[in-house]
Amino acid sequence: MTVPLLSVENLCKAYGALRVTDRVTLTVAAGELRAIIGPNGAGKTTLIHQLSGLAAPDSGQVMFDGRDVTALSMPQRARLGLVRSFQITAILPRLSALDNVALAVQARSGSSFRFFRDVSQDAAINTEALALLARFRLDARAASAAGTLSYGEKRQLELAVALATRPKLLLLDEPLAGTSHDEARLVIAALQSLKRDVAIILIEHDMDAVFALADRVSVLVYGAIIASGTPAEIRADPAVRAAYLGEEA
Amino acid sequence: MTHRLKPNGRRVVPLLIFALLALVPAATAIGADAFVLSLVTRIMIFGLAAMALDLLLGYGAMISFGHAAYVGIGAYSVGILSSSGIDDVFVQIAVAFAASGLFALVTGAISLRTKGAYFIMITLAFGQMLFFLASSLAAFGGDDGMTLPSRSLVFGAPILKNTVVLYYAAFICLLGFYALCRAIVASRFGRVLRGIRENLVRMEAIGFAPYPYKLAAYVIAGMIASVAGVLLANQAEFVSPAYAGWQRSAELIFMVVLGGVGSLHGAIIGAALFVLLAEYLSRLTEYWPMIFGPLLILVVIFARGGIAGLLKAWR
């Protein structure tokens, strides 16, 4: 068996007496799409924070692409290809949609301690950024300030930005939240086309999307993973039904 | 859609500003009050310092409350060197660059570890530190300041004694650094800086560690402001700790906000309004700051982009 792309060992984090991440152990193979589901407050976003480097775990280890990244900062992890999106839309509102994506391209293409040449005329960066915008049908909005985009467009822009970094593993925190039906279909299609090329950890409440996309599903309850398996296994798991899916039944 | 997007074509206002500034000596030559020349020289000097501050404030969201310190460093570079017989303006500028760059590097490295109100307070503290240092330099006039033996020499020639030459020296500095700042904000570096201003965490998430970019901007802005100090010392033929004081730092912020944050040329407009209003209001009443204060409040409430923002809206 090959070495997994991401392997998380005994990750723990507590806020006071509240254990938000409880001995989480998890491996994700290259190209795998792993969904993490769980009720609200289960600690899904906190887990993403720790995987991406935004928050430090109290104990445990995160190995990514053969290296221990537990002590690395978010920018360092991003440059290695471990890239996240945000649940609450995080864009650069007064920069154009194109600039938002172009900056992510720029981040991995040469030094940004370049002070004189007009970067808006950099054809290589613009071509790549525009292609990504087109993929999410945002190319007509390229010159618009990102803050003026609709909510759904902003969610898509965020995905385009994440892809522009050419990640090996994408951490997506509810990419469908608040999108319209059509926009959701566009995002799901984009994720489907990414599968195999990019490993993805997907946090999502839309169960139809989760079961359609995921290779494997892990269920997080009170900070601990109570089950992992294929979508079919998870659907049939009595503990999961009791803890989570059962609520909806 | 083309890959090469059109650069922002709205460069009319800065063009007008510089055309106007270039013509002021001609106006005084045909009869306008010669005092206007020295007044506009001051406008350009403070415009230069305010523009440097706008690079930090408007493009990097770093509210430095100690930017006058760099004007002070530039002025004292002239004062201290000329009192030791080193009159060459290029040597003085080189020393001003080195001193202000070093001061910005050291204080910036510390200040930029803080955020928000703490950053404002710590830059204020460093600025005041320099103010008190200058006040304690007994050999160089202490808190009374010092009168320069003469203006700086350019290639050994005392041409800056001519007010028109000094005017154009300030003009060239302002124009040159304006062009430099324009290039910087449009460059790879400038786009990263603007990104950090918008959303620091987002920038970290795509792989940028913000600190070195902020520090580099802080050093550049400090060095540019020091040139304003070199010019100010020459214009006043006098150097004073007051150049570096917190009131001056506040005035620079005032100019940037009045003219329009994040536009570069807005800082020049702001400096012009500030210097002109201070000059003419103070002739009307000694309570002129009481007119000044409400004016700034009105600008902040009704014209968030300052004067430059209003001009942009009209076009």
Side-chain angles (χ1 to χ4, degrees):
Chain A
M1 187 188 156
T2 53
V3 181
L5 182 62
L6 177 82
S7 88
V8 179
E9 198 72 46
N10 259 321
L11 210 64
C12 291
K13 187 172 186 65
Y15 291 123
L18 183 68
R19 283 191 169 183
V20 284
T21 304
D22 189 5
R23 285 162 291 170
V24 167
T25 294
L26 178 76
T27 60
V28 176
E32 178 181 345
L33 198 154
R34 169 72 59 99
I36 295 179
I37 62 173
N40 286 326
K44 301 184 294 293
T45 295
T46 309
L47 181 61
I48 294 284
H49 283 342
Q50 292 169 80
L51 297 183
S52 65
L54 188 61
D58 296 336
S59 64
Q61 192 187 39
V62 181
M63 297 283 294
F64 177 70
D65 206 11
R67 11 189 326 187
D68 185 349
V69 298
T70 318
L72 296 189
S73 68
M74 186 155 69
Q76 286 170 322
R77 291 185 206 200
R79 285 198 296 271
L80 291 176
L82 178 54
V83 176
R84 67 168 296 167
S85 74
F86 291 87
Q87 186 180 356
I88 297 161
T89 307
I91 50 159
L92 311 170
R94 286 196 285 167
L95 268 54
S96 68
L98 182 74
D99 273 350
N100 270 263
V101 181
L103 263 168
V105 178
Q106 186 184 328
R108 57 164 171 74
S109 61
S111 168
S112 280
F113 279 95
R114 295 282 177 275
F115 297 88
F116 302 112
R117 196 175 308 153
D118 186 348
V119 71
S120 72
Q121 303 300 309
D122 187 319
I125 291 180
N126 287 345
T127 306
E128 198 172 336
L130 277 171
L132 275 160
L133 285 175
R135 184 163 180 176
F136 293 94
R137 294 189 203 146
L138 288 172
D139 42 341
R141 306 283 266 142
S144 310
T148 65
L149 302 184
S150 76
Y151 183 79
E153 286 174 328
K154 284 178 190 164
R155 301 296 309 176
Q156 290 166 11
L157 178 64
E158 226 187 313
L159 214 50
V161 168
L163 286 184
T165 62
R166 286 207 190 138
K168 295 191 181 101
L169 173 61
L170 256 182
L171 309 167
L172 298 179
D173 196 353
E174 298 197 27
L176 300 180
T179 56
S180 73
H181 185 68
D182 284 348
E183 287 163 344
R185 271 179 32 198
L186 204 63
V187 171
I188 290 170
L191 295 183
Q192 220 126 29
S193 72
L194 283 176
K195 277 182 76 168
R196 311 288 162 245
D197 296 333
V198 180
I200 295 172
I201 291 182
L202 172 69
I203 291 180
E204 191 46 64
H205 280 297
D206 181 336
M207 285 306 134
D208 293 337
V210 165
F211 287 118
L213 285 168
D215 299 309
R216 291 172 69 78
V217 180
S218 293
V219 183
L220 199 67
V221 177
Y222 294 120
I225 290 181
I226 60 161
S228 284
T230 63
E233 286 166 359
I234 291 301
R235 243 195 281 248
D237 190 312
V240 175
R241 294 188 78 91
Y244 183 43
L245 296 176
E247 292 175 355
E248 293 174 355
Chain B
M1 173 156 242
T2 57
H3 298 318
R4 293 172 67 84
L5 297 177
K6 259 169 68 178
N8 190 348
R10 290 193 259 198
R11 291 285 176 266
V12 178
V13 174
L15 212 74
L16 269 173
I17 291 172
F18 283 105
L20 218 69
L21 288 174
L23 292 174
V24 167
T28 53
I30 58 170
D33 194 341
F35 169 71
V36 171
L37 205 59
S38 87
L39 197 65
V40 181
T41 308
R42 282 177 75 78
I43 287 172
M44 292 192 291
I45 292 170
F46 287 115
L48 179 58
M51 187 178 74
L53 178 62
D54 191 28
L55 190 64
L56 287 184
L57 211 155
Y59 293 89
M62 290 170 267
I63 305 169
S64 167
F65 206 149
H67 213 59
Y70 300 95
V71 178
I73 290 173
Y76 272 88
S77 299
V78 174
I80 292 172
L81 286 174
S82 71
S83 73
S84 353
I86 302 168
D87 287 327
D88 186 273
V89 74
F90 297 109
V91 175
Q92 291 169 342
I93 288 177
V95 169
F97 270 154
S100 59
L102 187 69
F103 187 71
L105 190 68
V106 173
T107 63
I110 298 164
S111 315
L112 289 170
R113 303 216 171 263
T114 65
K115 282 186 192 131
Y118 298 101
F119 179 76
I120 298 174
M121 295 315 286
I122 198 167
T123 50
L124 171 65
F126 279 125
Q128 287 305 91
M129 214 177 78
L130 204 90
F131 169 79
F132 286 114
L133 175 70
S135 304
S136 66
L137 290 174
F140 303 102
D143 37 323
D144 293 331
M146 66 188 287
T147 304
L148 297 188
S150 73
R151 284 183 179 169
S152 306
L153 305 179
V154 182
F155 299 117
I159 53 172
L160 292 180
K161 282 193 175 131
N162 182 315
T163 52
V164 176
V165 174
L166 184 68
Y167 181 94
Y168 277 114
F171 177 79
I172 288 165
C173 286
L174 184 65
L175 182 62
F177 283 111
Y178 174 77
L180 180 74
C181 288
R182 265 278 159 254
I184 287 175
V185 299
S187 70
R188 283 175 81 103
F189 175 83
R191 185 155 71 180
V192 174
L193 201 60
R194 286 179 284 139
I196 293 168
R197 170 192 74 194
E198 295 294 302
N199 190 334
L200 191 135
V201 176
R202 158 47 69 206
M203 293 298 282
E204 287 183 322
I206 58 175
F208 288 109
Y211 185 75
Y213 298 97
K214 289 173 119 177
L215 186 57
Y218 195 76
V219 170
I220 293 168
M223 290 171 75
I224 294 175
S226 78
V227 177
V230 170
L231 290 166
L232 186 62
N234 271 290
Q235 209 236 352
E237 297 183 54
F238 181 73
V239 178
S240 155
Y243 292 177
W246 72 267
Q247 293 93 333
R248 273 293 156 79
S249 293
E251 286 172 10
L252 290 177
I253 295 178
F254 194 124
M255 291 171 194
V256 173
V257 172
L258 190 65
V261 174
S263 67
L264 295 179
H265 60 270
I268 304 171
I269 300 174
L273 274 174
F274 184 93
V275 172
L276 291 175
L277 283 173
E279 180 65 35
Y280 291 103
L281 286 179
S282 65
R283 288 183 192 179
L284 291 177
T285 164
E286 59 177 308
Y287 302 114
W288 61 271
M290 289 188 62
I291 305 173
F292 231 42
L295 181 72
L296 184 66
I297 292 169
L298 288 177
V299 167
V300 170
I301 293 174
F302 294 110
R304 294 299 288 272
I307 307 298
L310 286 178
L311 291 173
K312 203 169 163 183
W314 275 332
R315 288 174 41 75

